[in-house]
Amino acid sequence: MKDLLRLRTSLTEEIERVLNEQIKMEADASAMYLAMSAWCDRNGFDCSAGYFKEQSDEEREHMLRLFKYVSDMGGRAVSPDVTNVQVEFESFRSVFEQALQQEIAVTQSFNRIADRCQKSKDYVTFTFLQWFLKEQIEEEYVARRALELFDVIGEEGTGQYEIDKRVPKIKYEDTY
Ligand SMILES: [Fe+2]
Ligand SMILES: [Fe+2]
């Protein structure tokens, strides 16, 4: 069965596996952002709650984009298990620190996949990955800018209130 499947696709087992791992990583990121949204909501940060809900939706779109590619190529896309999603966060700031760490980890993961594609001369998947590599510039930028608000505005007084209001207004311009 396994060999029959390989005859139907140019995707190697290794690339199919790492793409499925990335599908899971995007699903985990989506669940994490939704948990962050819920935490912000119940702590009075309603603008950030909306921002993280949007991030969660975007990560699901990323997951589906990868899922479709594996399926379109005749591979076996696996709907991932998402378990043990974090519920509590230490502080408002720590939510944003974790969000940036998550985005950096995703960028590194895509770099590793691109590296494997080059090593196995899979330029079809390598080309498909370009969208994600480019997308990570924006993802890291927005997450970093959000975290910087904590230093620029400061958390004292009405600081957290101001930070919360500013978070959804962060925009990445890819024109220069
Ligand atoms: Fe993503
Ligand atoms: Fe992301």
Side-chain angles (χ1 to χ4, degrees):
M1 187 59 212
K2 206 162 130 191
D3 292 333
L4 259 181
L5 186 66
R6 286 306 122 196
L7 289 174
R8 292 172 42 217
T9 176
S10 60
L11 267 188
T12 63
E13 271 181 73
E14 189 209 4
I15 298 299
E16 184 190 83
R17 180 175 53 77
V18 296
L19 289 176
N20 273 313
E21 284 168 7
Q22 191 60 39
I23 285 170
K24 175 166 166 53
M25 196 174 196
E26 301 292 336
D28 286 339
S30 178
M32 178 66 94
Y33 277 135
L34 197 58
M36 289 169 167
S37 175
W39 186 93
C40 287
D41 220 352
R42 65 180 185 272
N43 284 279
F45 304 115
D46 58 326
C47 298
S48 299
Y51 163 81
F52 283 122
K53 169 65 172 55
E54 260 179 44
Q55 297 303 307
S56 174
D57 290 345
E58 271 187 30
E59 300 305 341
R60 183 172 162 78
E61 289 300 318
H62 296 168
M63 181 196 84
L64 293 174
R65 189 180 277 256
L66 287 154
F67 198 89
K68 182 179 187 304
Y69 174 75
V70 175
S71 295
D72 285 355
M73 289 296 289
R76 187 172 60 175
V78 180
S79 182
D81 261 356
V82 177
T83 51
N84 298 319
V85 183
Q86 192 174 338
V87 176
E88 292 302 334
F89 296 87
E90 253 173 55
S91 62
F92 189 32
R93 183 187 181 118
S94 78
V95 173
F96 287 89
E97 282 169 348
Q98 224 172 304
L100 178 58
Q101 287 315 306
Q102 179 170 271
E103 290 302 339
I104 291 170
V106 167
T107 305
Q108 290 169 339
S109 180
F110 275 113
N111 278 334
R112 282 194 299 271
I113 299 173
D115 197 44
R116 279 175 192 232
C117 286
Q118 283 205 313
K119 284 195 175 107
S120 58
K121 302 199 188 317
D122 181 351
Y123 296 107
V124 177
T125 304
F126 183 75
T127 302
F128 164 76
L129 288 179
Q130 305 310 304
W131 185 89
F132 288 94
L133 292 166
K134 192 161 177 275
E135 173 76 4
Q136 283 311 115
I137 301 172
E138 176 172 353
E139 296 279 84
E140 277 194 40
Y141 174 91
V142 173
R144 189 181 324 104
R145 282 284 183 236
L147 184 57
E148 282 168 0
L149 292 176
F150 286 80
D151 293 326
V152 173
I153 297 172
E155 291 183 73
E156 306 75 31
T158 56
Q160 289 192 335
Y161 173 83
E162 294 298 335
I163 293 166
D164 183 49
K165 293 280 167 284
R166 288 286 300 276
V167 164
K169 298 198 175 91
I170 300 165
K171 289 281 172 286
Y172 175 69
E173 305 282 349
D174 67 350
T175 50
Y176 48 86

